[in-house]
Amino acid sequence: MEKQRLDKIIASTGKFSRKEVKALIRQGLVLVNGSPARSPEEKYDPEGVELIVNGETLTYRRYTWLMLNKPAGVLSATEDGRGETVLDLLPEELQRQNLFPVGRLDKDTEGLLLLTNEGGLAHDLLTPRRHVDKVYYTRVAGCLAEEDCRAFLSGMILEDGLQCLPAGLEILSAANGESEAYVTLREGKFHQVKRMLAQCGKPVLYLKRVRMGNLTLDPELSPGEFRFLTEEEVELLRKG
Ligand code: URA
């Protein structure tokens, strides 16, 4: 692999910023192949170098995978003149890694959004052929009933003629003119959850994605927070 600056290699693991790397090198706390590093500008093959930083062995990962709890009010885009995007929620060193969101959530939708720079796997997760389940928690106006579950399961045809794949609707509560439910989709058409529920006469009041494929939104993440996926989690995505 092409050689890269030491500070860039270490910062790409997400554990230290470039500024921190500089300070750690000065303190002799960065070991490269067993010897203290002299400068953040030294270049190495990231896949062939052994790094111990502040006593911890670092494993270089070619691609970055993040799980973000998207807050309402930000756009699932990489850049947009019209407002804050999910990339604006990341620290600078991650903003430089060409990350992009895996699929989109509406501006007012919250919850699980993956960000990566691994185009191949991201594409695989989004391709309709793979049928990766996406689960949403929703609160709607009106009382959801069995007939709505049946409509979801049968594969709805929306007003504009869009044929939906069979989808899951699990009612959690229905009282006082409002309902809560989980919706499971195997595809991701524009505003799909909102359109399906609107067609049942139950407009969405709140929407949050809680699962994508094998990954569940980490309950430790508050809206706007993110964490790196573990290697095991990336493997789970790969296996589908
Ligand atoms: N369906 C919607 O209607 N909105 C989203 O953000 C995601 C799925």
Side-chain angles (χ1 to χ4, degrees):
M1 200 177 167
E2 199 186 326
K3 287 187 176 183
Q4 291 179 21
R5 281 173 59 122
L6 186 55
D7 55 352
K8 185 170 180 219
I9 298 173
I10 298 175
S12 73
T13 64
K15 298 201 167 160
F16 305 94
S17 67
R18 287 200 187 197
K19 208 167 150 196
E20 287 168 333
V21 175
K22 233 185 205 168
L24 287 163
I25 289 175
R26 248 187 275 118
Q27 294 166 60
L29 291 172
V30 176
L31 300 184
V32 182
N33 299 327
S35 306
R38 286 183 301 271
S39 153
E41 287 161 33
E42 291 171 4
K43 288 194 169 176
Y44 297 94
D45 172 354
E47 288 180 317
V49 70
E50 202 178 280
L51 291 173
I52 301 179
V53 180
N54 208 12
E56 186 186 345
T57 302
L58 286 196
T59 314
Y60 174 78
R61 291 208 240 153
R62 186 167 196 152
Y63 299 110
T64 298
W65 278 90
L66 305 178
M67 173 190 288
L68 171 74
N69 184 354
K70 178 192 168 298
V74 297
L75 296 158
S76 305
T78 47
E79 55 184 69
D80 196 295
R82 290 167 302 159
E84 196 185 13
T85 73
V86 286
L87 286 189
D88 295 323
L89 301 171
L90 305 179
E92 248 175 54
E93 59 268 20
L94 287 173
Q95 290 189 15
R96 283 194 231 103
Q97 287 195 24
N98 299 322
L99 298 169
F100 56 87
V102 181
R104 278 170 187 262
L105 291 177
D106 296 339
K107 189 173 179 186
D108 59 353
T109 302
E110 297 183 0
L112 174 54
L113 187 66
L114 298 175
L115 295 157
T116 188
N117 46 15
E118 184 172 359
L121 179 52
H123 177 263
D124 277 2
L125 291 171
L126 293 174
T127 181
R129 268 182 294 118
R130 268 273 299 259
H131 292 323
V132 173
D133 276 359
K134 271 120 356 213
V135 182
Y136 299 85
Y137 163 83
T138 187
R139 206 157 39 75
V140 299
C143 285
L144 287 165
E146 268 311 304
E147 59 182 311
D148 300 315
C149 301
R150 279 196 295 274
F152 267 56
L153 205 56
S154 68
M156 289 173 69
I157 300 172
L158 299 181
E159 267 171 17
D160 63 357
L162 179 76
Q163 170 75 62
C164 301
L165 288 173
L169 177 65
E170 183 192 343
I171 302 169
L172 302 171
S173 69
N176 305 323
E178 271 188 26
S179 313
E180 294 173 295
Y182 285 126
V183 172
T184 304
L185 297 186
R186 305 171 72 199
E187 55 188 340
K189 304 256 166 47
F190 189 57
H191 293 329
Q192 190 170 349
V193 174
K194 290 176 185 163
R195 289 162 75 196
M196 290 174 82
L197 284 162
Q199 185 140 320
C200 298
K202 317 282 169 20
V204 165
L205 303 173
Y206 175 80
L207 190 60
K208 175 180 184 176
R209 183 154 65 195
V210 293
R211 192 156 72 77
M212 185 161 173
N214 296 318
L215 289 188
T216 303
L217 178 64
D218 187 332
E220 300 281 311
L221 294 176
S222 302
E225 290 185 342
F226 73 91
R227 70 161 171 79
F228 282 71
L229 291 191
T230 63
E231 273 174 47
E232 292 73 29
E233 287 172 328
V234 178
E235 265 320 293
L236 278 177
L237 287 178
R238 225 175 278 289
K239 285 185 197 141

